[in-house]
Amino acid sequence: MTQNTVSLSPSPQSMALAISNPGSLGTIDAYIAAVNQMPMLTAEQETALALRYREREDLDAARDLVLSHLRLVVAVARQYLGYGLPHADLIQEGNVGLMKAVKRFDPSRGVRLVSFAIHWIKAEIHEYVIRNWRMVKVATTKAQRKLFFNLRSMKQSGDTLTPDEIEHISHALNVREQDVREMEMRMTGREMALDGRDDEDDYAPSAWLSDEGAEEPTQVLERRARDELQSTGITRALDVLDPRSRRIIEARWLPEGDSATLQELANEFGVSAERIRQIESRALGKMRGELAQAA
């Protein structure tokens, strides 16, 4: 079989770096502009490259498959900007999913890579959103995750769901109506100031919350244990980390200002953003173990 060659521009070396490092081309806009210049593959070119990788483990062929589909990751990642997470990090996670898809892609099944890869890309981005979204345990079951990623688009307005809308969404997603109500409450809840503002006529929560001094002894002990864990437990957990891991955790999770992105830390340590993500994941695992022992 004659192998088709694929000419890609910009240079493969610079774009290969961009796979794991969206900021390597400058701003995120520059990265997006660069990947949109990558030519699309024909079905014959895609099949030839996929066979070269599967049969001969040709990494150059795998790279060309990934580079030609980076624009797909950008398009998918854009759909998740409403969760308040950095665009570059969303793209980075999507690129991981794309590379996993290329590794598992079988051209003999008669499916184009774009159709196969989109599921892997979304899966990686979903996991990233779930791990990092500010609502604790917002979606821990399969039904809750399905609602988390579909409820916004299925709501016909910004108002509270009506009983008919709840029933429709419940049937469409094959989940319980109770799950729909609960997820809507989690996603539409807003923060409220404890003392309110001076110009507000309404009572603030501090006016009607129960007196903390009226707690039962068991509640007092539980609160003290929780406060101890929050004040000293985190410090002890950080102490088990090496300096680089501690710097990454503090910059990502305990910043004094805005949290650092994977790319910013990658530039600081001279490694890829994917390497920073791996270090962060392992460090969080160590801290959870230390906090579990402290509890």
mmCIF file of all heavy atoms in Angstrom, residues 109-127:
data_model
loop_
_atom_site.group_PDB
_atom_site.id
_atom_site.type_symbol
_atom_site.label_atom_id
_atom_site.label_comp_id
_atom_site.label_asym_id
_atom_site.label_seq_id
_atom_site.Cartn_x
_atom_site.Cartn_y
_atom_site.Cartn_z
ATOM 1 N N ARG A 109 -12.768 0.016 11.482
ATOM 2 C CA ARG A 109 -14.167 0.016 11.885
ATOM 3 C C ARG A 109 -15.032 0.943 11.042
ATOM 4 O O ARG A 109 -16.249 1.011 11.226
ATOM 5 C CB ARG A 109 -14.291 0.401 13.362
ATOM 6 C CG ARG A 109 -13.648 -0.612 14.299
ATOM 7 C CD ARG A 109 -13.863 -0.224 15.749
ATOM 8 N NE ARG A 109 -13.273 -1.192 16.654
ATOM 9 C CZ ARG A 109 -13.882 -2.293 17.089
ATOM 10 N NH1 ARG A 109 -15.117 -2.562 16.667
ATOM 11 N NH2 ARG A 109 -13.285 -3.122 17.921
ATOM 12 N N GLY A 110 -14.415 1.692 10.156
ATOM 13 C CA GLY A 110 -15.166 2.546 9.244
ATOM 14 C C GLY A 110 -15.705 3.816 9.865
ATOM 15 O O GLY A 110 -16.638 4.427 9.335
ATOM 16 N N VAL A 111 -15.137 4.239 10.982
ATOM 17 C CA VAL A 111 -15.564 5.471 11.656
ATOM 18 C C VAL A 111 -14.431 6.490 11.576
ATOM 19 O O VAL A 111 -13.264 6.138 11.797
ATOM 20 C CB VAL A 111 -15.922 5.200 13.134
ATOM 21 C CG1 VAL A 111 -16.285 6.489 13.847
ATOM 22 C CG2 VAL A 111 -17.062 4.196 13.219
ATOM 23 N N ARG A 112 -14.766 7.742 11.264
ATOM 24 C CA ARG A 112 -13.748 8.785 11.209
ATOM 25 C C ARG A 112 -13.271 9.106 12.622
ATOM 26 O O ARG A 112 -14.006 8.999 13.606
ATOM 27 C CB ARG A 112 -14.290 10.051 10.545
ATOM 28 C CG ARG A 112 -14.574 9.927 9.058
ATOM 29 C CD ARG A 112 -13.315 9.644 8.248
ATOM 30 N NE ARG A 112 -12.329 10.701 8.377
ATOM 31 C CZ ARG A 112 -12.263 11.771 7.565
ATOM 32 N NH1 ARG A 112 -13.142 11.908 6.582
ATOM 33 N NH2 ARG A 112 -11.323 12.680 7.741
ATOM 34 N N LEU A 113 -12.021 9.548 12.720
ATOM 35 C CA LEU A 113 -11.430 9.862 14.019
ATOM 36 C C LEU A 113 -12.207 10.951 14.742
ATOM 37 O O LEU A 113 -12.340 10.919 15.971
ATOM 38 C CB LEU A 113 -9.967 10.287 13.837
ATOM 39 C CG LEU A 113 -9.216 10.700 15.107
ATOM 40 C CD1 LEU A 113 -9.238 9.582 16.145
ATOM 41 C CD2 LEU A 113 -7.775 11.095 14.765
ATOM 42 N N VAL A 114 -12.761 11.913 14.016
ATOM 43 C CA VAL A 114 -13.470 13.014 14.656
ATOM 44 C C VAL A 114 -14.666 12.493 15.454
ATOM 45 O O VAL A 114 -14.949 12.976 16.568
ATOM 46 C CB VAL A 114 -13.921 14.062 13.612
ATOM 47 C CG1 VAL A 114 -14.910 13.472 12.620
ATOM 48 C CG2 VAL A 114 -14.527 15.286 14.307
ATOM 49 N N SER A 115 -15.371 11.496 14.922
ATOM 50 C CA SER A 115 -16.520 10.932 15.623
ATOM 51 C C SER A 115 -16.099 10.116 16.832
ATOM 52 O O SER A 115 -16.777 10.093 17.857
ATOM 53 C CB SER A 115 -17.343 10.053 14.665
ATOM 54 O OG SER A 115 -17.809 10.811 13.568
ATOM 55 N N PHE A 116 -14.967 9.425 16.705
ATOM 56 C CA PHE A 116 -14.474 8.591 17.790
ATOM 57 C C PHE A 116 -13.862 9.442 18.904
ATOM 58 O O PHE A 116 -14.060 9.181 20.090
ATOM 59 C CB PHE A 116 -13.434 7.612 17.236
ATOM 60 C CG PHE A 116 -12.843 6.692 18.261
ATOM 61 C CD1 PHE A 116 -13.572 5.635 18.779
ATOM 62 C CD2 PHE A 116 -11.544 6.882 18.723
ATOM 63 C CE1 PHE A 116 -13.027 4.773 19.721
ATOM 64 C CE2 PHE A 116 -10.982 6.043 19.666
ATOM 65 C CZ PHE A 116 -11.734 4.985 20.165
ATOM 66 N N ALA A 117 -13.122 10.478 18.509
ATOM 67 C CA ALA A 117 -12.351 11.256 19.485
ATOM 68 C C ALA A 117 -13.217 12.172 20.340
ATOM 69 O O ALA A 117 -12.864 12.466 21.487
ATOM 70 C CB ALA A 117 -11.291 12.090 18.768
ATOM 71 N N ILE A 118 -14.346 12.617 19.821
ATOM 72 C CA ILE A 118 -15.130 13.615 20.553
ATOM 73 C C ILE A 118 -15.611 13.068 21.893
ATOM 74 O O ILE A 118 -15.696 13.807 22.883
ATOM 75 C CB ILE A 118 -16.324 14.097 19.696
ATOM 76 C CG1 ILE A 118 -16.933 15.362 20.324
ATOM 77 C CG2 ILE A 118 -17.379 13.007 19.529
ATOM 78 C CD1 ILE A 118 -17.898 16.079 19.393
ATOM 79 N N HIS A 119 -15.863 11.774 21.969
ATOM 80 C CA HIS A 119 -16.298 11.191 23.236
ATOM 81 C C HIS A 119 -15.162 11.178 24.261
ATOM 82 O O HIS A 119 -15.382 11.440 25.447
ATOM 83 C CB HIS A 119 -16.810 9.768 22.999
ATOM 84 C CG HIS A 119 -17.941 9.690 22.019
ATOM 85 N ND1 HIS A 119 -19.203 10.156 22.308
ATOM 86 C CD2 HIS A 119 -18.004 9.235 20.735
ATOM 87 C CE1 HIS A 119 -19.996 9.972 21.259
ATOM 88 N NE2 HIS A 119 -19.294 9.421 20.297
ATOM 89 N N TRP A 120 -13.953 10.903 23.820
ATOM 90 C CA TRP A 120 -12.793 10.907 24.723
ATOM 91 C C TRP A 120 -12.471 12.318 25.179
ATOM 92 O O TRP A 120 -12.109 12.550 26.337
ATOM 93 C CB TRP A 120 -11.589 10.289 24.025
ATOM 94 C CG TRP A 120 -11.704 8.803 23.868
ATOM 95 C CD1 TRP A 120 -12.253 8.118 22.823
ATOM 96 C CD2 TRP A 120 -11.286 7.816 24.817
ATOM 97 N NE1 TRP A 120 -12.193 6.774 23.053
ATOM 98 C CE2 TRP A 120 -11.610 6.549 24.268
ATOM 99 C CE3 TRP A 120 -10.667 7.870 26.059
ATOM 100 C CZ2 TRP A 120 -11.324 5.362 24.933
ATOM 101 C CZ3 TRP A 120 -10.386 6.689 26.721
ATOM 102 C CH2 TRP A 120 -10.718 5.451 26.160
ATOM 103 N N ILE A 121 -12.592 13.281 24.266
ATOM 104 C CA ILE A 121 -12.315 14.680 24.605
ATOM 105 C C ILE A 121 -13.303 15.170 25.664
ATOM 106 O O ILE A 121 -12.920 15.761 26.679
ATOM 107 C CB ILE A 121 -12.396 15.563 23.342
ATOM 108 C CG1 ILE A 121 -11.277 15.186 22.362
ATOM 109 C CG2 ILE A 121 -12.327 17.046 23.705
ATOM 110 C CD1 ILE A 121 -11.446 15.794 20.984
ATOM 111 N N LYS A 122 -14.584 14.917 25.440
ATOM 112 C CA LYS A 122 -15.606 15.356 26.404
ATOM 113 C C LYS A 122 -15.421 14.660 27.746
ATOM 114 O O LYS A 122 -15.619 15.275 28.800
ATOM 115 C CB LYS A 122 -16.993 15.080 25.841
ATOM 116 C CG LYS A 122 -17.423 16.031 24.738
ATOM 117 C CD LYS A 122 -18.864 15.770 24.334
ATOM 118 C CE LYS A 122 -19.329 16.793 23.305
ATOM 119 N NZ LYS A 122 -20.746 16.571 22.907
ATOM 120 N N ALA A 123 -15.049 13.379 27.725
ATOM 121 C CA ALA A 123 -14.880 12.641 28.977
ATOM 122 C C ALA A 123 -13.792 13.266 29.841
ATOM 123 O O ALA A 123 -13.955 13.424 31.062
ATOM 124 C CB ALA A 123 -14.551 11.178 28.687
ATOM 125 N N GLU A 124 -12.650 13.639 29.234
ATOM 126 C CA GLU A 124 -11.560 14.252 29.987
ATOM 127 C C GLU A 124 -11.963 15.623 30.520
ATOM 128 O O GLU A 124 -11.648 15.975 31.662
ATOM 129 C CB GLU A 124 -10.308 14.379 29.108
ATOM 130 C CG GLU A 124 -9.628 13.070 28.777
ATOM 131 C CD GLU A 124 -9.051 12.379 30.011
ATOM 132 O OE1 GLU A 124 -8.546 13.081 30.907
ATOM 133 O OE2 GLU A 124 -9.114 11.143 30.064
ATOM 134 N N ILE A 125 -12.650 16.407 29.699
ATOM 135 C CA ILE A 125 -13.079 17.736 30.144
ATOM 136 C C ILE A 125 -14.125 17.608 31.252
ATOM 137 O O ILE A 125 -14.095 18.369 32.230
ATOM 138 C CB ILE A 125 -13.627 18.556 28.962
ATOM 139 C CG1 ILE A 125 -12.500 18.849 27.963
ATOM 140 C CG2 ILE A 125 -14.254 19.860 29.441
ATOM 141 C CD1 ILE A 125 -12.945 19.615 26.727
ATOM 142 N N HIS A 126 -15.031 16.648 31.124
ATOM 143 C CA HIS A 126 -16.034 16.444 32.170
ATOM 144 C C HIS A 126 -15.370 16.149 33.506
ATOM 145 O O HIS A 126 -15.740 16.708 34.547
ATOM 146 C CB HIS A 126 -16.958 15.274 31.792
ATOM 147 C CG HIS A 126 -17.983 15.640 30.771
ATOM 148 N ND1 HIS A 126 -18.992 14.787 30.386
ATOM 149 C CD2 HIS A 126 -18.163 16.765 30.034
ATOM 150 C CE1 HIS A 126 -19.741 15.380 29.484
ATOM 151 N NE2 HIS A 126 -19.268 16.575 29.243
ATOM 152 N N GLU A 127 -14.384 15.255 33.493
ATOM 153 C CA GLU A 127 -13.690 14.903 34.726
ATOM 154 C C GLU A 127 -12.995 16.121 35.326
ATOM 155 O O GLU A 127 -12.985 16.327 36.535
ATOM 156 C CB GLU A 127 -12.671 13.794 34.464
ATOM 157 C CG GLU A 127 -13.293 12.434 34.211
ATOM 158 C CD GLU A 127 -14.112 11.939 35.393
ATOM 159 O OE1 GLU A 127 -13.669 12.113 36.549
ATOM 160 O OE2 GLU A 127 -15.212 11.400 35.170
#
